[in-house]
Amino acid sequence: MKLHFSITTAEELRERRGGRYVLYSVCLEGFLLGKARYSQLRRWDAQLRQLFGSAVPAFPPKYYLAMTKSMADERQSQLEQYLQNVTLDSNITNSDVFIAFFRKLQQDTFKIQTQRAFLDVYLADGSNIKLDIQTSDTAEQILEVTLCKMGLSRELTKYFSLFFFQDHDDGVLSVVKKVAEFELPYVSLQSMKVLHCKLGIRKWYMDPSLDTLLMDCRASLNLLYMQAIQEVERNWVKPTEGQMQELELLQKNAHKVKVSLAFTANHSSSIFLLQFLELIREMQFYGYVRLDPCMCDYPEEGCTADVYVGNNEINCCIKLPTNQIKEVSFKINRLRSWQVTFLGATKGGEEDTLEFRFEYNDSGTWQWIILYTKQAFLLSSCLKKMISEHMTKAAREGQEMVVHSGFISRKRFLVRPNEDDRVFEKIREEDL
């Protein structure tokens, strides 16, 4: 699955001996992962090529004469495309050469040496597991250790992931980004201090019916239950009045029989958890990712929207300029491409403004719909996950599904897409 790499800046610096070089800011999901020179990336490409040969995409050529501004811009764009395309092959992203390069890049950029440290990993109920780690441990390693401590079966690890999130004082929960498997969570947390992020475990699938695959493991039941309770308390799900009464009655009965929700096996509590999860799966937006309120241009400019992503749709509860409320469901099988665009810094200069636009078939007419959200990369990741799950399910049922790839634009200004911007070719699941 292609990762959301971008190169946001290219800084020209002077070496001690007087020579000049360019330092590229390599971002993942919109956040700085590390800074690298062209020569570093070129040496890394040579290492990858020794192992994987032609599977490695073409690397931007070396220039032996001074570069013009247009040549420099072209190289930056080519390096960005290279980083995105090299992640299409999971054999490459899982290799020691790939992981070691980004481990060193993160540590060197933020000047954090490998040493012993303690890391808190939060669960959805607000509790945390304190881990004794090395600062160079990857997210994949930390996730495995955490879930092992909780007693989760190894084969179920793939259904969960680490996320950075913000737990606001007003009770609002904001998911900032999914942590990449090769990323160093300890280093990333240090680099994101200004955002006051926490590291937490959440399930990582967009089809709520996949819950049924986790029902035979007590640890996974506990994780699903804690996240379900959190989604109710934080208003991520929208139960009807009758559903809420059923939920409260079920919880009340559980307390009467003193159901234990500890991580130990208990027959009564297991029955309660199964009943609770079966009930909550019927509620609107269960298992969805809720984004922070944002601006949108649909059905007209100046609208605000509460956005929920999951179960093969982007659901928007839109507030019109007239204060009327309109709920719209955008189904993924009617979406053919999308892009994330950096629009530049806000007036206060505190953070970049991101635009997420997708091309959607509305009543037989293709049109671009825009959401202005700082969680644009998270939304893109959720879309790719949904499409991947949908394709897996379609293949299992012997159906053919045609989808079109989303992509990232590194443009810093708003542009109307032209034919060269659009990506309409058939792709496979591993291309997403």
Side-chain angles (χ1 to χ4, degrees):
M1 185 177 291
K2 184 183 288 189
L3 297 179
H4 290 128
F5 273 113
S6 57
I7 295 180
T8 54
T9 59
E11 185 180 6
E12 188 174 313
L13 300 173
R14 186 182 293 275
E15 294 181 304
R16 291 180 181 178
R17 296 179 181 179
R20 293 181 179 275
Y21 66 95
V22 176
L23 198 61
Y24 297 99
S25 293
V26 178
C27 294
L28 183 63
E29 305 279 340
F31 292 90
L32 181 64
L33 186 68
K35 296 185 177 183
R37 298 173 61 164
Y38 172 85
S39 57
Q40 290 175 277
L41 293 167
R42 193 163 182 262
R43 285 194 296 270
W44 175 57
D45 171 74
Q47 292 177 311
L48 290 175
R49 215 164 286 281
Q50 283 184 335
L51 291 174
F52 302 104
S54 60
V56 181
F59 190 77
K62 181 176 180 179
Y63 295 124
Y64 292 93
L65 300 175
M67 288 191 296
T68 63
K69 186 180 185 308
S70 62
M71 292 167 68
D73 290 343
E74 183 181 16
R75 170 176 282 183
Q76 182 176 337
S77 179
Q78 289 174 340
L79 286 171
E80 182 176 271
Q81 289 296 318
Y82 172 82
L83 288 171
Q84 292 173 20
N85 291 333
V86 81
T87 61
L88 284 172
D89 191 334
S90 60
N91 291 321
I92 293 177
T93 56
N94 292 330
S95 69
D96 291 340
V97 170
F98 184 94
I99 295 169
F101 175 78
F102 283 106
R103 174 187 283 122
K104 180 171 171 43
L105 188 68
Q106 267 199 280
Q107 290 186 275
D108 288 351
T109 299
F110 298 104
K111 297 178 173 55
I112 296 178
Q113 297 180 342
T114 299
Q115 59 187 13
R116 183 185 179 190
F118 292 97
L119 183 67
D120 290 325
V121 179
Y122 287 83
L123 306 180
D125 66 348
S127 64
N128 68 282
I129 297 175
K130 187 176 286 292
L131 299 180
D132 186 348
I133 67 160
Q134 294 289 309
T135 54
S136 57
D137 286 344
T138 64
E140 182 179 29
Q141 292 170 317
I142 289 171
L143 179 66
E144 287 182 356
V145 169
T146 307
L147 294 177
C148 181
K149 279 180 173 287
M150 298 180 66
L152 190 83
S153 302
R154 180 177 288 272
E155 63 269 18
L156 300 181
T157 302
K158 63 183 178 182
Y159 295 105
F160 297 90
S161 187
L162 292 174
F163 291 82
F164 290 125
F165 69 94
Q166 295 169 315
D167 208 349
H168 301 287
D169 294 337
D170 59 3
V172 173
L173 177 72
S174 298
V175 178
V176 176
K177 70 182 288 281
K178 177 185 175 294
V179 187
E181 291 184 350
F182 61 87
E183 198 172 343
L184 310 185
Y186 181 88
V187 178
S188 293
L189 276 175
Q190 304 307 308
S191 68
M192 299 166 68
K193 267 187 176 180
V194 68
L195 297 177
H196 305 291
C197 288
K198 295 179 179 178
L199 181 68
I201 289 180
R202 301 183 64 81
K203 63 185 182 184
W204 181 228
Y205 50 88
M206 308 303 296
D207 180 355
S209 69
L210 293 179
D211 278 1
T212 56
L213 302 178
L214 309 178
M215 295 302 175
D216 293 333
C217 174
R218 179 52 193 258
S220 59
L221 272 180
N222 280 327
L223 285 167
L224 293 180
Y225 173 76
M226 286 187 285
Q227 188 167 325
I229 287 291
Q230 182 190 60
E231 291 178 8
V232 172
E233 293 175 345
R234 303 303 180 95
N235 296 317
W236 279 33
V237 297
K238 301 293 183 183
T240 63
E241 186 176 339
Q243 288 173 330
M244 199 63 206
Q245 289 175 351
E246 284 187 72
L247 206 60
E248 290 170 351
L249 180 61
L250 183 60
Q251 289 178 297
K252 188 182 295 184
N253 291 337
H255 289 309
K256 282 183 181 179
V257 296
K258 297 181 180 180
V259 168
S260 169
L261 294 178
F263 293 121
T264 54
N266 179 294
H267 181 66
S268 297
S269 60
S270 293
I271 292 176
F272 163 74
L273 292 177
L274 291 169
Q275 291 174 334
F276 183 93
L277 292 171
E278 183 178 355
L279 175 59
I280 202 170
R281 273 202 303 275
E282 299 173 1
M283 297 182 184
Q284 186 181 26
F285 301 140
Y286 168 71
Y288 286 51
V289 173
R290 181 177 181 176
L291 305 186
D292 296 345
C294 66
M295 299 293 295
C296 69
D297 74 341
Y298 184 91
E300 58 184 290
E301 293 284 352
C303 296
T304 59
D306 289 330
V307 181
Y308 301 81
V309 192
N311 203 21
N312 296 324
E313 67 168 340
I314 302 173
N315 190 289
C316 297
C317 186
I318 300 171
K319 185 176 182 180
L320 304 174
T322 58
N323 289 328
Q324 291 177 296
I325 303 298
K326 179 178 182 178
E327 185 175 320
V328 183
S329 172
F330 300 105
K331 303 297 185 182
I332 65 166
N333 61 357
R334 296 170 65 185
L335 182 155
R336 70 176 177 184
S337 65
W338 70 91
Q339 70 184 57
V340 176
T341 305
F342 287 96
L343 300 182
T346 57
K347 290 181 180 179
E350 295 179 357
E351 59 183 20
D352 281 331
T353 303
L354 295 176
E355 169 195 282
F356 181 93
R357 64 165 61 203
F358 59 97
E359 195 175 19
Y360 191 75
N361 190 332
D362 188 8
S363 302
T365 303
W366 290 99
Q367 68 177 102
W368 287 92
I369 296 168
I370 302 174
L371 301 174
Y372 300 97
T373 169
K374 62 184 179 182
Q375 294 163 297
F377 287 105
L378 175 65
L379 175 52
S380 182
S381 294
C382 292
L383 268 179
K384 290 193 290 185
K385 189 68 173 175
M386 281 195 292
I387 290 172
S388 175
E389 291 171 0
H390 198 140
M391 292 179 71
T392 300
K393 186 175 182 179
R396 195 164 51 240
E397 295 173 355
Q399 302 173 4
E400 182 180 355
M401 179 184 178
V402 178
V403 296
H404 300 90
S405 63
F407 64 98
I408 301 169
S409 167
R410 55 177 287 267
K411 299 179 180 69
R412 288 190 166 275
F413 47 87
L414 179 62
V415 294
R416 303 307 289 175
N418 55 42
E419 291 306 316
D420 293 331
D421 288 326
R422 304 182 187 186
V423 186
F424 298 153
E425 75 280 10
K426 292 184 181 180
I427 58 172
R428 300 163 298 171
E429 178 183 349
E430 57 266 28
D431 294 329
L432 295 170

